[in-house]
Each structure stands twice: as structure tokens, then as C-alpha cells.
Amino acid sequence: MEWTDPELAFSPDECNCNFKLYRSIDGFVKAEGERWPEFTLFNQQERRWTQNELMHVTPDGTATYFERFWVTLQAPDFNFREYPFDEQQFFVRIDAIYPETVYVYTPWEEKTAIGSQLGEEEWYITAYHTTIDRVNLTSVNSRYSFGYLARRHLEFYILRILIPIGIIIVLTYIPFLLKDFGKRADIASANLLLFIAFNFTIANDLPRLGYLTFLDAILVTTFVISGLTVIYNLYLKWLATKEQMEIAERIDRIMIWLYPLAYLLAIGLILIHF
């Protein structure tokens, strides 16, 4: 932060120095007084760990405050409905302790940027911005918000989740080409067990939410259709044992086309909804 306070002005001749440097806020307060643009991180979740801090004061009363720290921040604006194709907003919200009659934040454009290596393996930054708002804290206070948009790297979800789901769907459809309804029922049951095992495997990688996400809808749809496929093949097997093979084959000629259409319709509805 940088600000100008006439009470901080000094003569270089008096201190035989071109600037004053304080290595802590306490040192600055003891020497210059208690008034400086104190702030609070509005969405701070845990303790802020400060690596170092500096106060630099020039003869005209211009002060620059630098702090290097790390902290965990809350992100209450998340919406995971389109997960894993979601775009999320992250914010650093800084509230001034003093009212706007004393200090008002303004963006420091040349010092506001995203580092080229910011982010984690799961995210990449798409855009960032700064905004200045007014909030009621002690009276009317200034709030500085630095926000950025981030999207997920999709390689993990495509290779580890979506492609395996596609393979399971294909494996569930292949038995429709067989005429032995008994074997078809066995294969469909095995595919359903395979999907259940796969679902348990990826469960820890999915967010636990109170609403359905895009990926949840895909998994639920696959599970329901796979279960119905097992029931359908067991029904055909039952018809065959009742010597009603002709009826079973007639139904099967229709279902061999309805099965992929059911998946396409379900996926279409999911895309429209999410």
C-alpha cells in the first residue's frame, strides 16, 4: 500500500537521511504514531503468517507498506453445478479499518498482477480484476477486492473418468449383438458390478455437495441405464425359457436402437439443464 500523510513529512537534514525504513508495523507506530491505513482481510479463514514487512517513508510524507505473507482464504462464491467444466471466482477482500473520511482505497494498477506460476495443478487462471466497494464496518469503509477467474485442467477428468464411463457404456451395448439371452444377462450384470466398483474408486475425487453436478448427473444416468439393461436382459432370458423366443427377438430388434438413443437423449437433457 502507498499513501501520503503530511504528518509523516520530515526534513532530510534533521535525520541526515533520505528516507526512513521500519521493519515492522510496531516500529512504525512507536516512531510515527498510530495512524496508518490499518486493514483486515475480510475472507481470511486461518492465521496469516507474515514472512517480512517494511514501512518506507519519504520526506514528503509518502509511505509505502510492503508485506509478504501466506494465508488461507474463504471462497464462498463457488458454484460446482458444471463441475468439472466449471469456472470459479477467487477473491482477496481487504477492508479498511478507518472510515472513508480518512482512507479510501484506489487500485495500484502497476503493482496488481497475477504471477505466471500462480495456481495449482488442478487450476489455470483465465482473467483477473480489481474493484473498490463501500462496506459498513465501523461506519462507511472502503473495500479493495482482487479477484480472478480460474478453470480446471480437464485432462484428469477426461482420461480418468469420462473415457472410462464411455468404455463402460460401450461394453454395456455390445451384448445386444448376442442372441444368447442368458449370456447377455450375465455380461450386463458384470458390467453393472464394474461400474459400481469404478464409482467407488473415484468417489474420493468428487466434491460432496448438497446438489447435483454435471458429473454426478452423468454417473447417475449411467448407473440407472446400466441397471435397466440388466433388468431388460433378465426379462428376455425369462421370455426365452417360457418358449417365447419370437417375442423376445421382436422386442430386442427395437431395443437395439432405443438403447443408444436413450443415452443420447439423457446426455442432451443433462447438457440443457447444466
Side-chain angles (χ1 to χ4, degrees), residues 61-194:
T62 299
T64 304
Y65 171 65
F66 170 84
E67 180 183 345
R68 182 183 178 92
F69 66 91
W70 65 268
V71 66
T72 300
L73 301 175
Q74 293 177 329
D77 302 319
F78 276 6
N79 187 334
F80 292 97
R81 292 193 181 277
E82 297 180 6
Y83 174 86
F85 300 98
D86 52 328
E87 183 178 59
Q88 302 295 349
Q89 290 194 80
F90 298 83
F91 285 99
V92 181
R93 301 191 190 276
I94 302 173
D95 292 345
I97 300 298
Y98 286 95
E100 283 190 338
T101 54
V102 182
Y103 294 108
V104 177
Y105 287 136
T106 58
W108 195 353
E109 299 295 344
E110 62 269 24
K111 296 293 185 180
T112 304
I114 288 286
S116 60
Q117 295 182 328
L118 179 69
E120 300 179 3
E121 291 81 356
E122 188 175 351
W123 300 92
Y124 64 94
I125 310 301
T126 59
Y128 62 88
H129 62 278
T130 59
T131 56
I132 305 298
D133 302 305
R134 306 175 73 190
V135 296
N136 292 320
L137 193 59
T138 55
S139 56
V140 179
N141 301 68
S142 185
R143 169 178 288 179
Y144 171 90
S145 297
F146 177 72
Y148 58 93
L149 298 174
R151 286 190 172 274
R152 301 176 193 274
H153 292 291
L154 295 176
E155 289 82 356
F156 169 83
Y157 300 97
I158 293 174
L159 296 175
R160 296 288 302 276
I161 298 178
L162 295 180
I163 289 180
I165 289 176
I167 293 173
I168 291 174
I169 292 173
V170 172
L171 291 177
T172 307
Y173 179 70
I174 288 177
F176 279 84
L177 304 178
L178 300 176
K179 295 302 180 182
D180 188 332
F181 297 133
K183 289 184 178 179
R184 281 174 54 167
D186 293 339
I187 295 173
S189 300
N191 286 338
L192 180 60
L193 293 176
L194 173 64

Side-chain angles (χ1 to χ4, degrees), residues 23 60 142 144 252 255:
R23 299 191 179 278
D60 65 351
S142 185
Y144 171 90
D252 199 45
M255 289 300 299

